[in-house]
Structure formats: C-alpha cells, structure tokens
C-alpha cells in the first residue's frame, strides 16, 4: 500500500480546525493544572501506546521546561516505569497499572491527565476511578467520542476524530497549549 503524505496532512488539518470549538475545555484543563501546581500539588499523566508517549511528553515538559526558563514543576508519568507496570500487571492485572501508582503517590488536590485515542482502555477507567476516590482531579485528552471514558473525567478534551494517528497528533498541540498556559500562570 502506497502512502499519501498529502492525504495525511489534509486529514490532520481537518482534525485540527474543529479544536477551536474546544477552547473552553482547553482553558478549563489549563486552569485545573495551573491551580494544582500553584497549590503545591503534583500532576500525574498516563496513557497506552502512542498516548503513553504523549503522557511522557506532558510530564517532561513540566519537570523540564517548555518555552520559559522557570522552576521545575511536579509532573510524573505513570507509564514510564516498566518495573512498576510489570509488577502491578503481574500481581493485579494490567487494568490496575495506573490506579495502584495513584494509590501510592497521589494526594487530594493533585491532577491526573489521561491520554487516549480511543477512550476504551480498562487501565484508564480504573485510573479515573482511583483518582476520584483520592480527591484527584482528572483531565481526559481523548478521541473517538470519548469512548467508555466519556463523561467520567472532570474535564474532557475530545478530539473529533476516530483516526488514532490524527487524535495523537492533535494531543501534541493540546498538551503544548495547556503547558504554555501553566507557564503563564506561575
């Protein structure tokens, strides 16, 4: 099968245009994260596959820097420790890999940013449930109409696409937009 770069670019453009309508949700997620940081709390992130990469990118932009030289911000990605993931998956099941880490490290007032192109991952559903029990706010970056996670997070930014690649590409723009706002609100 021959690739068609122009088609992919056109699909991405078509995916990005409607994101302007999500400005209120983007602002709400940015405020949630900014308030969390300004209270002295932490932001956790998680995802699977390509969305795991977005979750790692989000966390490293917080603890490193995005645009501005500033203090390191407490961002921790729950899918970046293979020992913790495999231990929990082996002992409790893959659906518990993020929830168990939240139980260990999160505290009331923290925020959890979840990334998923489908919104159907059992481990994300379990993470949202654990976050709610712990008093951790949740921001879901999703596609596919939100999938099974729809309606569960405090803030939902649902990219209007069922194409996983385009959703993940849009998530990069969205996470940068949120981090830019966090830096502006320090």
């Amino acid at each position: 099968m021959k690739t068609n770069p122009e088609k992919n670019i056109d699909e991405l453009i078509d995916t990005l245009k409607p994101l302007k309508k999500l400005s209120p949700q983007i602002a709400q997620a940015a405020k949630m994260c900014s308030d969390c940081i300004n209270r002295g709390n932490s932001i956790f992130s998680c995802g699977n596959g390509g969305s795991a990469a977005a979750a790692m990118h989000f966390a490293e932009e917080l603890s490193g820097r995005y645009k501005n030289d500033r203090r390191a911000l407490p961002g921790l990605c729950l899918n970046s420790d293979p020992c913790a993931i495999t231990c929990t998956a082996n002992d409790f099941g893959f659906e518990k890999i993020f929830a168990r880490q939240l139980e260990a490290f999160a505290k009331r007032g923290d925020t959890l940013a979840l990334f998923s192109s489908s919104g159907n991952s059992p481990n994300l559903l379990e993470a949202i449930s654990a976050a709610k029990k712990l008093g951790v706010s949740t921001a879901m970056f999703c596609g596919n109409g939100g999938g099974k996670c729809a309606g569960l997070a405090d803030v939902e930014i649902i990219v209007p696409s069922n194409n996983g690649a385009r959703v993940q590409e849009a998530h990069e723009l969205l996470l940068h937009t949120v981090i830019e706002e966090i830096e502006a609100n320090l």
Side-chain angles (χ1 to χ4, degrees), residues 157-176:
I157 302 173
I158 301 174
V159 176
S161 176
N162 294 331
N163 182 321
R166 302 298 88 85
V167 170
Q168 290 173 4
E169 291 156 358
H171 284 167
E172 290 296 312
L173 170 66
L174 294 168
L175 73 86
H176 285 150

Side-chain angles (χ1 to χ4, degrees), residues 1-184:
M1 186 166 125
K2 189 174 178 182
T3 61
N4 185 340
E6 290 178 10
K7 178 180 176 271
N8 290 344
I9 292 167
D10 288 340
E11 285 177 359
L12 179 58
I13 291 168
D14 291 342
T15 300
L16 294 177
K17 281 182 184 177
L19 294 184
K20 289 181 181 180
K21 294 177 185 172
L22 299 176
S23 290
Q25 293 93 325
I26 297 165
Q28 190 178 2
K31 182 176 181 352
M32 176 189 294
C33 291
S34 295
D35 290 350
C36 174
I37 295 291
N38 288 328
R39 282 191 308 270
N41 286 86
S42 299
I43 298 176
F44 296 91
S45 60
C46 61
N48 296 289
S51 295
M56 289 173 64
H57 186 155
F58 189 68
E60 61 85 8
E61 294 283 24
L62 291 168
S63 62
R65 73 170 182 163
Y66 176 57
K67 287 186 175 180
N68 302 323
D69 286 334
R70 39 103 175 133
R71 67 183 170 92
L73 304 176
L76 180 68
C77 182
L78 302 176
N79 53 256
S80 62
D81 183 347
C83 293
I85 289 170
T86 57
C87 171
T88 302
N90 186 61
D91 294 345
F92 298 97
F94 193 73
E95 67 277 3
K96 298 288 187 183
I97 62 171
F98 304 136
R100 292 286 294 184
Q101 290 182 78
L102 285 172
E103 290 171 19
F105 302 114
K107 63 184 183 298
R108 181 170 297 283
D110 288 342
T111 296
L112 172 64
L114 306 102
F115 293 86
S116 177
S117 55
S118 72
N120 292 322
S121 301
N123 56 15
L124 297 181
L125 292 163
E126 290 284 337
I128 292 170
S129 178
K132 299 237 180 256
K133 289 175 188 168
L134 294 165
V136 171
S137 59
T138 52
M140 183 76 194
F141 295 80
C142 204
N144 191 39
K148 293 178 182 176
C149 288
L152 300 179
D154 297 312
V155 178
E156 296 177 330
I157 302 173
I158 301 174
V159 176
S161 176
N162 294 331
N163 182 321
R166 302 298 88 85
V167 170
Q168 290 173 4
E169 291 156 358
H171 284 167
E172 290 296 312
L173 170 66
L174 294 168
L175 73 86
H176 285 150
T177 302
V178 169
I179 291 170
E180 190 171 317
E181 188 66 20
I182 292 169
E183 285 190 347

